Amino acid sequence: MGKPLILVTNDDGITAPGLRALVSYMKEIGDVVVVAPDSPQSGMGHAITLDSTLYSKKMQVDLSHTGTEEYSCSGTPADCVKLGLQELLERKPDICVSGINHGSNSSINVIYSGTMSAAIEAGIEGVPAIGFSLCDYNWEADFAPSEDFVKNIVREALKFGIPKGVVLNVNIPKLPKKDLKGIKVCRQAKANWKEKFDKRTNPMGKDYYWLTGEFELLDKGEDTDEWALANGYISVVPTQFDLTAHHVIQDINNWNLK
C-alpha cells in the first residue's frame, strides 16, 4: 500500500505556526494536502459560506515543504474541508487533521471552535478526523514538545480507525516535553463561560461592545479533559456530532403532544 493521504486544515490561517508544525509532522507519515483559511477564523464554529463566493489559491508557504500541495481558501474552516473534499483533492483522504490550534479547545470550547468544526466536517463526510490544540495562545508558541504525541495519535488512528460518527478532540498542555506525563482518553468537562460585554462609545457617539468573560469549571471529576490538562496529560476526547439527547426521547414522548 502507498502512503496515506492526509488533509491538513485549521482555523488560525494557512500561515499559522501551529499549522506549519502539523504539516511537518504529517509529512513523516504520508502525503499531505493543505486546505486552510487565508486569514484567521477562530471562533467561527461550524459556519459555512452561503451568500458570497469562495476563492481558492494554490500556494507554497514554506519552501521546506516541497512536494506538499497547499491551497488557501477565503472561507471558514468548514468551507475549507468541503472545498478540499469536493474539488481540490484527487481522492478521498485517509485522515483529516486540524490544527495545531493556538489555544485550548477543551470542554465547552469545542462548541465554538473552528479547529474542531473543520474536523467534524470531515467526520460528517466519512473521513476519520482529529483536531489538535495547544493550550498556548501565543503566536510564538512552542509546538515541539507535542510532536511525538501528535504523530503517535495519528499513526494509531490510521492503524485502528476512528468509529463513524466520532472525531477526536486532542488538547495539549503548555509544558516542556519532560513534564508531559502522557495521554489520557477522557470525557469533556462540564464548564461554561461567564460572559460580559465591555461597552464603549466611539468618537462618533455610537456604542460598540467587546466580548469578555471568565472560564467557569463546574466539574470536579478526575476523568475529564480539564483535569488531564491541569495534571500534565494530553487529553483525547472522542466527540460525536449526533447531538440527539437519546436518553430524553422517551420522557418527551410522555408529554401530551398533539
Side-chain angles (χ1 to χ4, degrees), residues 190-221:
K190 295 179 177 67
N192 60 27
W193 283 93
K194 194 172 182 180
E195 294 168 338
K196 298 178 182 178
F197 284 93
D198 183 359
K199 182 179 178 180
R200 303 182 187 184
T201 305
N202 70 15
M204 302 299 292
K206 187 175 181 179
D207 292 338
Y208 65 97
Y209 302 86
W210 285 105
L211 177 62
T212 64
E214 296 179 356
F215 183 71
E216 192 173 40
L217 180 61
L218 307 173
D219 199 321
K220 303 301 183 183

Side-chain angles (χ1 to χ4, degrees), residues 43-80:
M44 290 299 290
H46 213 100
I48 56 173
T49 300
L50 296 175
D51 58 355
S52 61
T53 53
L54 284 175
Y55 295 92
S56 178
K57 179 182 178 182
K58 193 170 186 178
M59 58 192 303
Q60 186 173 3
V61 177
D62 189 336
L63 294 178
S64 68
H65 292 162
T66 56
T68 300
E69 287 188 35
E70 300 202 29
Y71 301 87
S72 65
C73 173
S74 62
T76 67
D79 286 330
C80 291

Side-chain angles (χ1 to χ4, degrees), residues 3 14 32 39 66 81 90 92 113 122 125 134 142-143 184 196 198 234 247 255:
K3 291 183 177 180
I14 195 165
V32 174
S39 60
T66 56
V81 174
E90 294 184 358
K92 187 175 181 178
S113 167
E125 294 295 328
L134 177 68
D142 183 9
F143 294 92
K184 278 195 177 294
K196 298 178 182 178
D198 183 359
I234 293 168
H247 62 288
W255 294 6

Side-chain angles (χ1 to χ4, degrees), residues 99-257:
I100 299 170
N101 189 65
H102 292 248
S104 171
N105 278 316
S106 60
S107 64
I108 196 64
N109 295 311
V110 69
I111 297 294
Y112 309 104
S113 167
T115 298
M116 279 302 295
S117 289
I120 288 169
E121 182 62 36
I124 291 170
E125 294 295 328
V127 177
I130 309 171
F132 290 99
S133 303
L134 177 68
C135 300
D136 186 350
Y137 290 94
N138 192 329
W139 196 250
E140 305 300 327
D142 183 9
F143 294 92
S146 69
E147 178 176 357
D148 291 340
F149 294 99
V150 169
K151 290 190 292 190
N152 175 242
I153 291 169
V154 172
R155 286 189 174 113
E156 291 297 287
L158 286 167
K159 179 179 178 181
F160 291 101
I162 298 173
K164 289 183 179 180
V166 172
V167 300
L168 302 184
N169 182 18
V170 179
N171 283 272
I172 305 155
K174 179 186 174 182
L175 291 171
K177 185 175 181 179
K178 64 180 179 62
D179 294 331
L180 288 171
K181 296 179 181 177
I183 296 172
K184 278 195 177 294
V185 180
C186 44
R187 64 177 175 86
Q188 176 182 321
K190 295 179 177 67
N192 60 27
W193 283 93
K194 194 172 182 180
E195 294 168 338
K196 298 178 182 178
F197 284 93
D198 183 359
K199 182 179 178 180
R200 303 182 187 184
T201 305
N202 70 15
M204 302 299 292
K206 187 175 181 179
D207 292 338
Y208 65 97
Y209 302 86
W210 285 105
L211 177 62
T212 64
E214 296 179 356
F215 183 71
E216 192 173 40
L217 180 61
L218 307 173
D219 199 321
K220 303 301 183 183
E222 296 185 1
D223 58 343
T224 71
D225 50 5
E226 290 295 335
W227 185 93
L229 293 166
N231 287 274
Y233 292 94
I234 293 168
S235 67
V236 178
V237 176
T239 303
Q240 63 184 17
F241 45 83
D242 175 1
L243 301 181
T244 307
H246 294 275
H247 62 288
V248 179
I249 290 176
Q250 186 56 52
D251 291 340
I252 296 178
N253 275 329
N254 292 330
W255 294 6
N256 185 23
L257 298 175

